[in-house]
Amino acid sequence: MTAASPAADGGDTPATPPDVPPERRFEPDLRSMTRINLRPIASPMPLGFFTIAIASVMTGCLQLGLFDEEARAAVAFTVLPAFVLQLLVSVLAFGARDVIAATLMAVFAGSWLPYSLVMLSGAPDGLRVLGVFNLALLCFGALMTAVTRPKRALWFVLAASLPRWASTGLAGVTGAEWLTRTSGALGLVVALVAMYTAFALMLEDMRSEQVLPIGRSGPAHLAVEGDLAVQLRNLERQAGVRRTL
């Protein structure tokens, strides 16, 4: 048995519900016709963390005095690609619906670009300006640590970066040499944490199981261990699906 067509009388105008005024246009319910397509991607996070590690090693060695002052331009050239790589990671993370990872990687990308440009240009009072910039990054990182705890991989990298941003900022503002050396040593610590995190995430992605401890909890743990229904929960309220951001 088939239902009678609203236009069975030969007209093309759909039937109007009786409770709708004649002068008001009736719009059908589109929910049954809506489809949301999800596109799986490879995780960009190992690339992002490896980039943090390599750039931190280069800047840390410069601050520790392992490179001469004349090597500033060369270090800036080696750090400049980190801006492009982490910006790419951020774009992919936004596409993967991970606003925390995307925001963090975008801000890291934005930190490498001014560093490289100031070092390359030799702008007057550039180190003091970078010092204030790093103190601003410290405020950002302090706020991010409050929301990244379920993502322990991100949280540990942030936790290692906070004292480095603080020492780099104070070194730039005060010009204290010991703070510069401290920042260089902390940069190597950040590199070690980021390198471990990147390696652990890559192993997990290749073997489809956790090999090295990462420490996910809460929603981050459910996102990896839960079924497809967990991944699609509240999808209709996410950015790109709802009408406004």
Side-chain angles (χ1 to χ4, degrees):
M1 179 180 294
T2 58
S5 171
D9 57 352
D12 295 331
T13 305
T16 302
D19 56 341
V20 177
E23 68 277 3
R24 183 175 179 181
R25 182 180 176 183
F26 172 67
E27 295 184 1
D29 189 355
L30 300 179
R31 286 176 294 182
S32 61
M33 295 181 283
T34 301
R35 297 292 183 270
I36 299 174
N37 297 318
L38 303 178
R39 184 181 62 182
I41 63 172
S43 174
M45 298 310 294
L47 173 62
F49 287 123
F50 275 129
T51 303
I52 293 175
I54 295 172
S56 296
V57 167
M58 300 307 299
T59 56
C61 289
L62 179 63
Q63 291 174 313
L64 286 172
L66 301 180
F67 300 137
D68 295 332
E69 287 297 316
E70 292 77 11
R72 283 190 175 187
V75 171
F77 274 118
T78 60
V79 171
L80 187 57
F83 162 71
V84 180
L85 292 176
Q86 291 206 272
L87 184 61
L88 173 63
V89 173
S90 175
V91 171
L92 293 174
F94 275 119
R97 303 180 296 140
D98 193 334
V99 65
I100 294 177
T103 302
L104 181 65
M105 289 298 165
V107 171
F108 267 110
S111 68
W112 301 126
L113 182 60
Y115 174 87
S116 300
L117 294 179
V118 169
M119 289 299 181
L120 285 172
S121 65
D125 216 15
L127 292 179
R128 185 181 296 272
V129 172
L130 287 178
V132 176
F133 180 70
N134 277 275
L135 292 178
L137 285 178
L138 175 64
C139 297
F140 158 79
L143 294 175
M144 285 292 290
T145 54
V147 296
T148 56
R149 187 172 293 274
K151 293 175 170 288
R152 292 298 173 86
L154 294 176
W155 189 85
F156 279 122
V157 174
L158 264 177
S161 299
L162 290 180
R164 195 201 183 191
W165 285 332
S167 57
T168 302
L170 293 175
V173 172
T174 64
E177 187 67 20
W178 70 272
L179 283 173
T180 301
R181 302 293 189 224
T182 301
S183 177
L186 291 172
L188 299 183
V189 174
V190 172
L192 289 175
V193 176
M195 192 79 70
Y196 169 84
T197 303
F199 185 63
L201 290 174
M202 187 173 291
L203 280 179
E204 181 183 70
D205 188 72
M206 292 179 62
R207 300 188 184 181
S208 299
E209 63 179 358
Q210 181 174 293
V211 180
L212 297 175
I214 299 177
R216 290 188 183 94
S217 63
H221 177 75
L222 290 176
V224 176
E225 301 296 335
D227 56 15
L228 184 61
V230 175
Q231 315 304 315
L232 303 181
R233 185 178 299 164
N234 295 326
L235 183 63
E236 67 275 10
R237 297 182 180 88
Q238 295 187 7
V241 179
R242 64 178 187 263
R243 177 169 296 180
T244 64
L245 297 177

